[in-house]
Every structure is written in structure tokens, then in C-alpha cells.
Amino acid sequence: MASMTAGQSGKLQSDNLDTNYTFALRALTTLFFMWGFITCLNDILIPHLKGIFDLSYSQAMLVQFCFFGAYFLVSVPAGFLVKRIGYQKGIVIGLVIAALGCAMFYPAASLMSYPVFLLALFVLASGITVLQVSANPYVSNLGPAKTASARLNLTQAFNALGTTVAPFFGALLILDHTATALSAAESADSVKLPYLLLASALLILAAVFAWLKLPDLKIDHAPDIVVVNPDASIWQYRHLVLGVIAIFVYVGAEVAIGSFLVSFLSLPDIAGLTEQTAAHYIAYYWGGAMVGRFIGAGLLHKIDAGKLLCFNAVMAMVLICIAIVSTGSIAMWAILFVGLCNSIMFPTIFSLAINQLKELTSQGSGLLCLAIVGGAIIPLLQGMLADEIGVQLAFILPVFCYGFIAYYGFFGARVMTPLAAAQQE
């Protein structure tokens, strides 16, 4: 009888733990939605600030440079911070920093200062970086290891939902107001309400996550990497090194295309749309990526990951080339459908790049995350091209990016260990 009672007690504790984990996972989906939402708002902000401050395309792309540059600069310090204070406190601090960045849009608009806008974006992105460093591993550890990928895919779906919804929010509260503004100062004021609303939402979330009794998952304070072979070097793995480059150019190409969509669709030869109307079409680009994730998840069970990656990259190249050489609705829909091709690229490149790294997997993952800085560099380069040769022809840069990804999927992702490489030589 006693053993039966103990068994029932153990089952009850297990049920309570499962309930707590399920509740925590549901709460965390709001975070993934929010940072997808905020990141996609940059695509609305770029043409908006370009018009207010009469910027060149390269100057306007400093929005993405400051935003994604924060990922590169803050991710390592954020990792140390989260190790010190824990996942839940890291989430709260990330939300507060992001809220501060949103609130800084108010003085930036009041001062009519582009540098202050860029500083606000950097602070905002720093908060989101802390949030990601805290939330991603927390979700991974929030249950059995064998279902970690499924949990991350679920939360990433809400991230994609945020990127799909954000263009409608931005068009309604920012660009629609700008269309009726009588001066640049009034146009700048249009960002105050949306970003104050976001700051309020983030602070409410911070308060909620500070109050919630989430499962206390312990962080391993041991070194991230246990090197079994002291002579092993992460740079000896060709498929990882090429994977880092592939992540760099993928994130850069995806962000660059999204950043130029409003300007591209506003061209008289393409669609001649107003900025507020063009903003709604950004949802098709990011929504296509969301739909493609579900399609790709099924196809990856039947098709080799490298081959599917190569196919998607080649299709992206074809679609962009069509957008460059054609006009009207053909060019418009060709560039929007690139979003569908993007869908599986990041997780597929990531998984191929860390394949068979063994004890160096953690170090390899860190390098791949730092490669997200491509979202800062590639859009800036495309902005410089747009200033020289025009918006439409500047899309040639993403063509080369996807060309490298096609090469990586077809050939570069093949695992070649240092020993095999030495034997081949």
C-alpha cells in the first residue's frame, strides 16, 4: 500500500511538472511573437525614415545595420549574463531593455534626430538579443531532449506570425498617418504612439514574467565545450566554415529583400503603389516563409536536406532575376514569392553546418549565431548599390547570396572531417 501511495505521489508530481512546462511554453510563445513583430517593423520604418530625413538608400539601411549589429556585439555578453542570473531573470531584463529602446523613439521623434533613432534601434535590438539568448535554450530544456526541436519549431511559428502581422500594424499606425502629415515633424511624430504601445506591452510582459512561477531550470555553469581532442579545431571542419558563410549571406539576403520591398513596389514600372499600400504586401513575403516552414517540414522527411536547400536557393535566384528583368505584377509577385523559398533555409543550413561536430557542436553553434550579423552588412551593401544603379538592379546582390547557398546545399554541406581532408590531400 505504501509503495502504491509513493507511486501515486510520483505520478502526481510528474503531472504537475508537465502542466507547469506546458504553461511555461505557452507563456514563452508571446515572446517569440513579439520579437518577430518588432523585427519586421523595421521594413516599415526604413522607407518612413528615409522620407522624413531625405536619406540615401545606404543611409536608410543603417536601420538594419544598427539593429542586427546589436546581435553581433551583445550576444556573447548576454550569454554570460544569463549564465549568471538564470533564464527567467534574463527574459525579464531583455524585455525591460527592449521596452527602453521602444520608449527612446519618443525623444528621437521629438528631436527629429536620425542618430537618436539609430541608438534607439540598437538598444531595442540589444534587449531582443538578451531575450533570445534566454528564451531559446529555456524552450529547448523545457521538457524531454527528443522533443526540443518540435518545441522550438512551435515557438518559431509564432515568431513568423509576428512578422506576418507587423506590416498591417505599421501601415495603419505609421504610414497612414504619414500620408496626411503636413510636415516632416508630423511624420516623425507618427512613430511615437506605436512604439509607446510596444514599450507598454513589453513592460507588461516583463512584469508578468517576473511574477510567474516558471520551472527553475538550472544552467550548466561548466564550460560550454569539453574538448576531447586538444588538437581539434573548429576551423578544420569545412562544412561548418562554409555554413557560417551561408548563414551570413542568407540572413543578409532575407533582410535586404524585406527592407527594399516598399521602395521596390512603389516604383512606377513595378506596381506604383503608395508606401502605405505597399506595406501590406510585406505580409505576403514573410507569410510565405511561415507557410513554407510547414511545407518544408513535411518534405524534409522525404528529401535530402542539402538537395532541398539547393532547390530552394536556385528558385530564389530565378525569382529575383525575373523581378530584375521584368515589370508590373510579374516582377512584384516574383520578389514576394522569394519569401516562400526562404522558409527552410536557416534551420536547414544550421543543422547541416553542425552535423558531426561532436564535442565542438556548442562552439560551432556560437559561430553560426554570430553570422546573423549578415543582416547588418548585406542590406547596407545593397543600399549602396541602389544609390548607384537603382533599386531594381540592386537586387543582383541577393542573387549572388542565394548562389552561394545553392552551392552549399549541393556540395559544401558534405561532411569532411579534418582526418578525411588530410587523407584526400
Side-chain angles (χ1 to χ4, degrees), residues 17-29 32 87-88 91 134-152 154-155 209 213-218:
L17 191 62
D18 288 342
T19 302
N20 288 342
Y21 279 11
T22 301
F23 171 75
L25 187 61
R26 288 174 179 171
L28 285 161
T29 58
F32 284 78
Y87 294 126
Q88 186 168 358
I91 288 169
S134 305
N136 278 319
Y138 188 74
V139 169
S140 296
N141 294 320
L142 204 60
K146 64 180 181 181
T147 57
S149 179
R151 289 193 298 276
L152 278 171
L154 173 65
T155 51
F209 274 89
K213 302 297 182 186
L214 296 179
D216 184 18
L217 303 182
K218 301 299 180 184

Side-chain angles (χ1 to χ4, degrees), residues 16 39 83 112 195 204 212 243 286 325 332 337 351 409 421:
N16 287 338
T39 302
K83 273 195 170 186
M112 282 284 290
Y195 279 90
I204 291 169
L212 287 177
W286 294 107
V325 301
M332 180 180 79
F337 271 113
S351 60

Side-chain angles (χ1 to χ4, degrees), residues 131-326:
L131 206 56
Q132 292 212 40
V133 170
S134 305
N136 278 319
Y138 188 74
V139 169
S140 296
N141 294 320
L142 204 60
K146 64 180 181 181
T147 57
S149 179
R151 289 193 298 276
L152 278 171
N153 276 324
L154 173 65
T155 51
Q156 285 296 331
F158 280 87
N159 179 273
L161 179 62
T163 62
T164 305
V165 171
F168 297 103
F169 176 87
L172 178 65
L173 292 182
I174 298 177
L175 296 183
D176 282 359
H177 179 82
T178 303
T180 59
L182 299 176
S183 65
E186 282 189 28
S187 294
D189 284 345
S190 65
V191 304
K192 290 181 178 178
L193 177 61
Y195 279 90
L196 284 179
L197 289 173
L198 285 173
S200 302
L202 291 167
L203 287 175
I204 291 169
L205 277 175
V208 169
F209 274 89
W211 173 77
L212 287 177
K213 302 297 182 186
L214 296 179
D216 184 18
L217 303 182
K218 301 299 180 184
I219 299 177
D220 182 10
H221 288 272
D224 287 334
I225 307 202
V226 180
V227 179
V228 176
N229 177 8
D231 296 325
S233 168
I234 199 72
W235 301 107
Q236 291 178 298
Y237 291 86
R238 185 179 63 99
H239 70 286
L240 170 69
V241 176
L242 295 177
V244 169
I245 299 171
I247 288 286
F248 179 92
V249 296
Y250 162 70
V251 175
E254 180 189 50
V255 172
I257 292 171
S259 300
F260 275 93
L261 277 180
V262 170
S263 297
F264 182 70
L265 299 180
S266 300
L267 294 174
D269 290 343
I270 304 302
L273 302 176
T274 62
E275 286 188 350
Q276 54 267 42
T277 303
H280 290 94
Y281 283 88
I282 296 175
Y284 289 99
Y285 177 71
W286 294 107
M290 180 175 66
V291 172
R293 283 189 183 124
F294 293 105
I295 298 171
L299 291 175
L300 284 168
H301 288 292
K302 301 178 181 180
I303 303 174
D304 177 74
K307 291 178 180 177
L308 188 60
L309 176 64
C310 179
F311 174 80
N312 277 31
V314 170
M315 288 304 300
M317 293 170 68
V318 170
L319 288 168
I320 297 172
C321 287
I322 291 172
I324 291 174
V325 301
S326 60

Side-chain angles (χ1 to χ4, degrees), residues 346-396:
F346 187 92
T348 303
I349 295 169
F350 202 99
S351 60
L352 289 171
I354 63 173
N355 188 25
Q356 296 186 31
L357 291 186
K358 298 178 182 178
E359 71 270 13
L360 297 174
T361 298
S362 178
Q363 190 177 344
S365 298
L367 287 174
L368 290 164
C369 289
L370 289 176
I372 292 174
V373 75
I377 307 299
I378 302 294
L380 185 61
L381 294 177
Q382 188 165 335
M384 293 176 181
L385 269 179
D387 288 331
E388 294 296 324
I389 61 176
V391 172
Q392 190 169 10
L393 289 177
F395 278 100
I396 194 67

Side-chain angles (χ1 to χ4, degrees), residues 31-42 62-80 94 97-98 118 120-136 156 159 163 247-248 251-252 254-255 286 346 350 365-377:
L31 303 182
F32 284 78
F33 175 87
M34 284 301 291
W35 77 55
F37 187 96
I38 289 170
T39 302
C40 191
L41 270 185
N42 288 350
L62 289 175
V63 166
Q64 301 292 27
F65 183 82
C66 289
F67 194 87
F68 283 91
Y71 279 78
F72 184 78
L73 295 174
V74 179
S75 48
V76 173
F80 285 116
I97 294 173
L118 296 178
L121 282 160
F122 182 85
V123 174
L124 171 56
S126 298
I128 292 176
T129 303
V130 175
L131 206 56
Q132 292 212 40
V133 170
S134 305
N136 278 319
Q156 285 296 331
N159 179 273
T163 62
I247 288 286
F248 179 92
V251 175
E254 180 189 50
V255 172
W286 294 107
F346 187 92
F350 202 99
S365 298
L367 287 174
L368 290 164
C369 289
L370 289 176
I372 292 174
V373 75
I377 307 299

